[in-house]
Short mmCIF file of all heavy atoms in Angstrom, two decimals:
data_model
loop_
_atom_site.label_atom_id
_atom_site.label_comp_id
_atom_site.label_asym_id
_atom_site.label_seq_id
_atom_site.Cartn_x
_atom_site.Cartn_y
_atom_site.Cartn_z
N GLU P 123 0.12 -5.79 -5.19
CA GLU P 123 1.10 -5.21 -4.28
C GLU P 123 1.96 -6.33 -3.70
O GLU P 123 1.47 -7.19 -2.98
CB GLU P 123 0.36 -4.44 -3.17
CG GLU P 123 -0.47 -3.31 -3.75
CD GLU P 123 -1.47 -2.71 -2.79
OE1 GLU P 123 -2.10 -3.48 -2.02
OE2 GLU P 123 -1.64 -1.49 -2.82
N PHE P 124 3.24 -6.30 -4.06
CA PHE P 124 4.19 -7.33 -3.66
C PHE P 124 5.08 -6.85 -2.52
O PHE P 124 5.53 -5.70 -2.52
CB PHE P 124 5.17 -7.63 -4.81
CG PHE P 124 4.64 -8.51 -5.88
CD1 PHE P 124 3.86 -7.99 -6.89
CD2 PHE P 124 4.95 -9.87 -5.89
CE1 PHE P 124 3.39 -8.80 -7.90
CE2 PHE P 124 4.48 -10.67 -6.91
CZ PHE P 124 3.69 -10.14 -7.92
N ASP P 125 5.37 -7.74 -1.60
CA ASP P 125 6.43 -7.50 -0.63
C ASP P 125 6.74 -8.83 0.05
O ASP P 125 6.05 -9.83 -0.18
CB ASP P 125 6.07 -6.43 0.39
CG ASP P 125 7.30 -5.59 0.77
OD1 ASP P 125 8.39 -6.18 0.99
OD2 ASP P 125 7.19 -4.36 0.83
N LEU P 126 7.76 -8.81 0.87
CA LEU P 126 8.17 -10.01 1.58
C LEU P 126 7.08 -10.43 2.56
O LEU P 126 6.30 -9.61 3.03
CB LEU P 126 9.50 -9.76 2.30
CG LEU P 126 10.66 -9.44 1.35
CD1 LEU P 126 11.89 -9.01 2.14
CD2 LEU P 126 10.99 -10.65 0.47
N PRO P 127 7.02 -11.73 2.90
CA PRO P 127 5.92 -12.24 3.72
C PRO P 127 5.73 -11.51 5.05
O PRO P 127 4.58 -11.23 5.43
CB PRO P 127 6.30 -13.71 3.95
CG PRO P 127 7.05 -14.07 2.69
CD PRO P 127 7.86 -12.83 2.36
N ASP P 128 6.81 -11.16 5.77
CA ASP P 128 6.60 -10.48 7.05
C ASP P 128 6.01 -9.08 6.86
O ASP P 128 5.21 -8.62 7.66
CB ASP P 128 7.87 -10.44 7.90
CG ASP P 128 9.07 -9.81 7.23
OD1 ASP P 128 9.07 -9.65 5.99
OD2 ASP P 128 10.04 -9.48 7.95
N VAL P 129 6.36 -8.44 5.77
CA VAL P 129 5.79 -7.12 5.47
C VAL P 129 4.32 -7.24 5.11
O VAL P 129 3.48 -6.47 5.58
CB VAL P 129 6.59 -6.42 4.34
CG1 VAL P 129 5.91 -5.13 3.91
CG2 VAL P 129 8.02 -6.17 4.76
N ILE P 130 3.99 -8.23 4.29
CA ILE P 130 2.59 -8.42 3.91
C ILE P 130 1.75 -8.80 5.12
O ILE P 130 0.60 -8.37 5.24
CB ILE P 130 2.46 -9.45 2.76
CG1 ILE P 130 3.10 -8.90 1.47
CG2 ILE P 130 1.01 -9.84 2.53
CD1 ILE P 130 2.48 -7.61 0.93
N ASP P 131 2.31 -9.57 6.05
CA ASP P 131 1.56 -9.87 7.29
C ASP P 131 1.19 -8.58 8.00
O ASP P 131 0.05 -8.42 8.46
CB ASP P 131 2.39 -10.75 8.22
CG ASP P 131 2.45 -12.20 7.78
OD1 ASP P 131 1.63 -12.60 6.92
OD2 ASP P 131 3.31 -12.94 8.30
N LEU P 132 2.14 -7.65 8.11
CA LEU P 132 1.85 -6.36 8.74
C LEU P 132 0.85 -5.57 7.89
O LEU P 132 -0.11 -5.00 8.40
CB LEU P 132 3.14 -5.56 8.94
CG LEU P 132 2.99 -4.15 9.52
CD1 LEU P 132 2.30 -4.18 10.88
CD2 LEU P 132 4.34 -3.47 9.59
N ARG P 133 1.07 -5.55 6.59
CA ARG P 133 0.20 -4.81 5.68
C ARG P 133 -1.25 -5.25 5.81
O ARG P 133 -2.18 -4.44 5.77
CB ARG P 133 0.69 -4.99 4.24
CG ARG P 133 -0.08 -4.17 3.25
CD ARG P 133 0.55 -4.18 1.86
NE ARG P 133 -0.25 -3.37 0.99
CZ ARG P 133 -0.25 -2.05 0.95
NH1 ARG P 133 0.56 -1.37 1.72
NH2 ARG P 133 -1.04 -1.38 0.13
N ARG P 134 -1.47 -6.54 5.96
CA ARG P 134 -2.84 -7.07 6.06
C ARG P 134 -3.54 -6.64 7.34
O ARG P 134 -4.76 -6.78 7.46
CB ARG P 134 -2.82 -8.59 5.91
CG ARG P 134 -2.55 -8.99 4.47
CD ARG P 134 -2.70 -10.47 4.23
NE ARG P 134 -2.58 -10.74 2.80
CZ ARG P 134 -1.84 -11.69 2.27
NH1 ARG P 134 -1.15 -12.51 3.06
NH2 ARG P 134 -1.80 -11.86 0.97
N SER P 135 -2.79 -6.09 8.29
CA SER P 135 -3.41 -5.51 9.48
C SER P 135 -4.14 -4.21 9.15
O SER P 135 -5.01 -3.77 9.90
CB SER P 135 -2.35 -5.20 10.55
OG SER P 135 -1.67 -6.35 10.94
N PHE P 136 -3.78 -3.60 8.01
CA PHE P 136 -4.31 -2.28 7.65
C PHE P 136 -5.08 -2.24 6.33
O PHE P 136 -5.86 -1.33 6.11
CB PHE P 136 -3.17 -1.26 7.58
CG PHE P 136 -2.38 -1.18 8.84
CD1 PHE P 136 -1.13 -1.76 8.93
CD2 PHE P 136 -2.91 -0.57 9.96
CE1 PHE P 136 -0.40 -1.69 10.11
CE2 PHE P 136 -2.19 -0.50 11.14
CZ PHE P 136 -0.93 -1.06 11.21
N PHE P 137 -4.83 -3.20 5.46
CA PHE P 137 -5.42 -3.20 4.13
C PHE P 137 -6.03 -4.56 3.83
O PHE P 137 -5.47 -5.59 4.22
CB PHE P 137 -4.37 -2.88 3.06
CG PHE P 137 -3.66 -1.58 3.28
CD1 PHE P 137 -2.42 -1.55 3.90
CD2 PHE P 137 -4.23 -0.38 2.88
CE1 PHE P 137 -1.75 -0.35 4.11
CE2 PHE P 137 -3.58 0.82 3.09
CZ PHE P 137 -2.33 0.84 3.72
N THR P 138 -7.13 -4.55 3.10
CA THR P 138 -7.83 -5.77 2.75
C THR P 138 -7.82 -5.95 1.24
O THR P 138 -8.01 -4.98 0.50
CB THR P 138 -9.30 -5.69 3.23
OG1 THR P 138 -9.29 -5.43 4.64
CG2 THR P 138 -10.05 -6.97 2.96
N ASP P 139 -7.60 -7.16 0.80
CA ASP P 139 -7.69 -7.43 -0.63
C ASP P 139 -9.13 -7.23 -1.09
O ASP P 139 -10.08 -7.44 -0.33
CB ASP P 139 -7.26 -8.87 -0.94
CG ASP P 139 -5.75 -9.06 -0.91
OD1 ASP P 139 -5.02 -8.08 -0.67
OD2 ASP P 139 -5.31 -10.20 -1.13
N THR P 140 -9.26 -6.82 -2.32
CA THR P 140 -10.57 -6.63 -2.95
C THR P 140 -10.49 -7.26 -4.33
O THR P 140 -9.43 -7.70 -4.75
CB THR P 140 -10.90 -5.12 -3.09
OG1 THR P 140 -10.03 -4.54 -4.05
CG2 THR P 140 -10.80 -4.39 -1.75
N PRO P 141 -11.59 -7.28 -5.07
CA PRO P 141 -11.51 -7.80 -6.44
C PRO P 141 -10.51 -7.04 -7.31
O PRO P 141 -9.98 -7.59 -8.27
CB PRO P 141 -12.94 -7.64 -6.96
CG PRO P 141 -13.79 -7.73 -5.74
CD PRO P 141 -12.99 -7.03 -4.67
N ARG P 142 -10.22 -5.77 -6.98
CA ARG P 142 -9.26 -5.01 -7.78
C ARG P 142 -7.91 -4.84 -7.12
O ARG P 142 -7.00 -4.29 -7.70
CB ARG P 142 -9.83 -3.61 -8.07
CG ARG P 142 -10.89 -3.62 -9.14
CD ARG P 142 -11.06 -2.27 -9.73
NE ARG P 142 -12.19 -1.44 -9.57
CZ ARG P 142 -13.38 -1.64 -9.06
NH1 ARG P 142 -13.63 -2.75 -8.52
NH2 ARG P 142 -14.32 -0.76 -9.05
N ARG P 143 -7.77 -5.29 -5.88
CA ARG P 143 -6.52 -5.10 -5.13
C ARG P 143 -6.09 -6.42 -4.51
O ARG P 143 -6.82 -7.01 -3.72
CB ARG P 143 -6.74 -4.08 -4.04
CG ARG P 143 -5.51 -3.79 -3.22
CD ARG P 143 -5.85 -2.86 -2.07
NE ARG P 143 -4.74 -2.02 -1.72
CZ ARG P 143 -4.83 -1.03 -0.86
NH1 ARG P 143 -5.98 -0.74 -0.30
NH2 ARG P 143 -3.77 -0.31 -0.58
N THR P 144 -4.87 -6.85 -4.88
CA THR P 144 -4.35 -8.13 -4.40
C THR P 144 -2.96 -7.93 -3.84
O THR P 144 -2.09 -7.37 -4.51
CB THR P 144 -4.29 -9.16 -5.55
OG1 THR P 144 -5.60 -9.28 -6.12
CG2 THR P 144 -3.81 -10.50 -5.08
N THR P 145 -2.75 -8.40 -2.61
CA THR P 145 -1.40 -8.39 -2.05
C THR P 145 -0.79 -9.77 -2.24
O THR P 145 -1.48 -10.79 -2.13
CB THR P 145 -1.40 -8.02 -0.55
OG1 THR P 145 -2.29 -8.90 0.13
CG2 THR P 145 -1.82 -6.59 -0.32
N ILE P 146 0.49 -9.77 -2.53
CA ILE P 146 1.20 -11.02 -2.76
C ILE P 146 2.42 -11.05 -1.87
O ILE P 146 3.29 -10.18 -1.96
CB ILE P 146 1.59 -11.18 -4.24
CG1 ILE P 146 0.31 -11.18 -5.10
CG2 ILE P 146 2.42 -12.44 -4.46
CD1 ILE P 146 0.55 -11.14 -6.59
N ALA P 147 2.47 -12.05 -1.00
CA ALA P 147 3.58 -12.22 -0.06
C ALA P 147 4.64 -13.10 -0.70
O ALA P 147 4.55 -14.32 -0.66
CB ALA P 147 3.08 -12.83 1.24
N ALA P 148 5.62 -12.47 -1.32
CA ALA P 148 6.68 -13.23 -1.99
C ALA P 148 7.79 -12.28 -2.39
O ALA P 148 7.58 -11.08 -2.54
CB ALA P 148 6.13 -13.92 -3.24
N SER P 149 8.93 -12.86 -2.60
CA SER P 149 10.01 -12.11 -3.22
C SER P 149 9.79 -12.17 -4.72
O SER P 149 9.54 -13.24 -5.27
CB SER P 149 11.36 -12.73 -2.87
OG SER P 149 12.38 -12.14 -3.66
#
Side-chain angles (χ1 to χ4, degrees):
E123 299 166 321
F124 281 83
D125 216 316
L126 297 172
D128 56 344
V129 173
I130 294 299
D131 284 345
L132 177 58
R133 185 171 180 77
R134 287 188 173 133
S135 300
F136 304 104
F137 304 97
T138 304
D139 283 359
T140 69
R142 284 200 249 351
R143 181 186 211 172
T144 304
T145 54
I146 299 172
S149 170

